[in-house]
Amino acid sequence: MVDDSLVDQVVILTGAAGGIGSAIARTFHRLGARLLLADYDEQSVLDLASSLDPAGERAVGIAYNASNPSDADAVVSTCVARFGHIDHVVPAAAIFEDQPFSTMTDEQWRRTMSINLDGVFYICRRSIPHIRPGGTIVTIASSAAHEGCSPEHVHYGASKGGILAFTKSLARELSPTIRVNAVSPGTIDTPMVAELLRQKGDKFLSITPAGRFGTGEEVGDAVAFLCSKASSYIMGQTIHVNGGSYMGG
Ligand SMILES: NC(=O)c1ccc[n+]([C@@H]2O[C@H](COP(=O)([O-])OP(=O)(O)OC[C@H]3O[C@@H](n4cnc5c(N)ncnc54)[C@H](O)[C@@H]3O)[C@@H](O)[C@H]2O)c1
């Protein structure tokens, strides 16, 4: 992306230590943004922040549990104290656990929903009063939200379906002051799906016209585009980054 509209912009990114999150962080850093990087994996997110910006001027890491509302408070207040305001929020933290529906417990269901869906509400709700006009929220949905998820992931599919409806509903409420859009990745080669790909990678590859799995950087480019001025007339939409495995309308 050649757009320079992200220079000095302030971004809250959750799940920042993950395969996609860290790629998004690197993309935003390259484009000149200032980053508040939040993740459950404290050591990894602190290491990421210091590797991007050893001086700590443009990247700050913070430990964060997406399912804990007070952690969302801490992320927002740290961001505002450090950078003065917020321009973009990218809530990417999520879990993907194998649990057959027939034996799924209430706790297992709730755990996925609390991290993948409640967590997005907590951080967006608290960020919005501090997002400057012209800012954006870019959620991370999934192909699972559009075509159903792989077996043993009903809770994950439901949480991502919720993210899509959340995104469109919030876009209607906040546009045009704050634009809200989603990116729906297909199969991206990250730790989240490593075991799934080990077991069923050939099957997923056979339905992917690109002939390969995606990279975090390819998701990061779509997120950065939706945060940039280059996407100024795009609201409540979803960009699919999936190598053609699902061709959404
Ligand atoms: N990899 C894929 O194929 C794929 C496909 C579709 C959507 N996605 C979505 O992309 C996003 C990033 O996924 P990824 O592939 O990078 O996964 P990942 O497992 O590599 O990264 C997820 C990150 O979230 C963090 N996390 C987990 N629980 C947390 C919690 N309670 N609080 C805060 N952070 C927590 C983890 O520590 C990790 O750093 C997720 O929203 C995921 O659902 C991924």
Side-chain angles (χ1 to χ4, degrees):
M1 208 178 73
V2 289
D3 188 296
D4 65 357
S5 62
L6 294 173
V7 172
D8 282 337
Q9 295 273 290
V10 177
V11 181
I12 288 180
L13 170 65
T14 77
I20 290 174
S22 59
I24 295 172
R26 288 190 294 274
T27 299
F28 274 108
H29 185 262
R30 177 170 48 78
L31 294 170
R34 294 179 283 169
L35 300 168
L36 199 292
L37 305 172
D39 200 284
Y40 190 79
D41 182 343
E42 179 172 17
Q43 194 55 54
S44 294
V45 81
L46 295 179
D47 288 348
L48 174 67
S50 59
S51 75
L52 288 174
D53 180 21
E57 285 169 10
R58 284 213 290 127
V60 175
I62 186 171
Y64 155 82
N65 182 348
S67 65
N68 185 345
S70 61
D71 280 13
D73 285 327
V75 168
V76 170
S77 60
T78 302
C79 186
V80 172
R82 184 68 186 74
F83 298 124
H85 61 268
I86 301 166
D87 292 301
H88 310 283
V89 180
V90 183
I95 56 169
F96 180 73
E97 296 183 336
D98 302 341
Q99 278 139 6
F101 190 70
S102 56
T103 54
M104 188 179 290
T105 65
D106 296 350
E107 290 71 26
Q108 289 169 339
W109 170 268
R110 195 83 281 294
R111 174 173 151 76
T112 289
M113 297 305 278
S114 73
I115 294 170
N116 294 12
L117 187 56
D118 297 354
V120 174
F121 163 71
Y122 296 145
I123 196 72
C124 290
R125 166 65 188 84
R126 286 158 176 78
S127 294
I128 284 164
H130 306 281
I131 299 179
R132 296 194 299 185
T136 72
I137 294 171
V138 178
T139 59
I140 309 296
S142 167
S143 292
H146 307 271
E147 54 181 356
C149 204
S150 42
E152 306 191 358
H153 304 117
V154 169
H155 43 8
Y156 179 86
S159 71
K160 293 299 183 177
I163 289 295
L164 275 190
F166 172 93
T167 303
K168 292 185 233 183
S169 306
L170 193 59
R172 289 188 189 281
E173 191 163 329
L174 300 183
S175 299
T177 311
I178 299 170
R179 292 184 301 109
V180 188
N181 291 291
V183 170
S184 266
T187 308
I188 309 298
D189 192 1
T190 73
M192 177 173 278
V193 293
E195 180 56 24
L196 186 70
L197 294 189
R198 201 182 59 73
Q199 292 176 16
K200 299 179 183 166
D202 290 349
K203 183 177 157 220
F204 284 111
L205 214 48
S206 71
I207 55 155
T208 305
R212 63 174 177 81
F213 300 124
T215 66
E217 284 70 20
E218 289 169 317
V219 178
D221 283 342
V223 172
F225 167 69
L226 287 173
C227 292
S228 76
K229 291 238 174 346
S231 63
S232 54
Y233 201 53
I234 299 179
M235 299 173 201
Q237 304 299 321
T238 301
I239 293 184
H240 298 274
V241 181
N242 60 26
S245 59
Y246 168 77
M247 299 192 184

